[in-house]
Amino acid sequence: MAFWDHISQKASETTGKAVQKAKDLSDVARLNAAISEEENKIRELYYQIGKLYSAMHMQDAEPAFADLVAAVAEANNKIVCCKQQILDIKGVISCPRCGAEVAVGSAFCSACGSPIAGSRTPEQEGMVHCEHCGALIKKGVRFCTQCGNPVTQTAAETLPAAEAKELKICPNCGAELESDAAFCTECGTKM
């Protein structure tokens, strides 16, 4: 019987060691998760500190921070510009009250009902967006002046002749073109 008692004791010791090892691994994993959570809190706090400092000292940042604050301001300006280009491509504006996207020319916001004043800018009157590159082009042209792709019939509505600007002549077909056109609106020739 001593033999079986010895085996039983060894099995109990091995099981105890395995249980302790599993408990230790569980504790280490729990502590690593707690460390990671605290590191994330610190990152968020640093972010908030930097954002607050940048907002408070945008114009009078200390020399060590001046370049960084200027880079943040430049990046924010680029974001605003890109967002405006997206709105222009979509043919919408942002509601001044709620920020919802509203079709250009709408009198009221479809989300909050707020009146939209002056929703169409003068340079967009008589203009359409190219389906290929999104550039604003005059209604009535057959080819985009920026990318040279053909314009569909719905976008190629005719305009009054009074809207003519400085013109140049296409060397291929003789069509009159605006001075800033990169492609002919009639034959698509690159200028």
Side-chain angles (χ1 to χ4, degrees), residues 62-79:
E62 295 176 24
F65 297 102
D67 289 340
L68 295 172
V69 171
V72 167
E74 183 180 336
N76 279 331
N77 289 337
K78 286 181 181 179
I79 289 170

Side-chain angles (χ1 to χ4, degrees), residues 41-57 65 69:
K41 283 182 187 176
I42 290 170
R43 268 191 226 90
E44 179 62 25
L45 290 170
Y46 277 139
Y47 170 76
Q48 293 298 327
I49 290 168
K51 190 173 179 181
L52 180 61
Y53 179 86
S54 178
M56 291 175 66
H57 300 286
F65 297 102
V69 171

Side-chain angles (χ1 to χ4, degrees), residues 168-177 181-184 187-191:
K168 63 181 174 182
I169 305 297
C170 173
N172 186 42
C173 69
E176 291 183 354
L177 307 171
F183 292 88
C184 176
C187 67
T189 300
K190 186 173 182 173
M191 301 307 292

Side-chain angles (χ1 to χ4, degrees), residues 126-128 130 135-153 155-159 163-191:
M127 304 293 276
V128 294
C130 172
L136 274 175
I137 54 175
K138 289 179 82 174
K139 289 182 182 176
V141 298
R142 293 181 17 204
F143 292 89
C144 176
T145 57
Q146 296 302 311
C147 69
N149 284 306
V151 177
T152 61
Q153 291 297 340
E157 300 168 3
T158 58
L159 288 178
E163 294 186 21
K165 292 183 180 177
E166 292 181 33
L167 300 176
K168 63 181 174 182
I169 305 297
C170 173
N172 186 42
C173 69
E176 291 183 354
L177 307 171
E178 291 183 19
S179 61
D180 61 345
F183 292 88
C184 176
T185 58
E186 294 299 317
C187 67
T189 300
K190 186 173 182 173
M191 301 307 292

Side-chain angles (χ1 to χ4, degrees), residues 74-90:
E74 183 180 336
N76 279 331
N77 289 337
K78 286 181 181 179
I79 289 170
V80 167
C81 183
C82 288
K83 285 182 178 181
Q84 184 58 48
Q85 288 177 354
I86 289 170
L87 293 176
D88 291 344
I89 290 169
K90 288 181 172 181

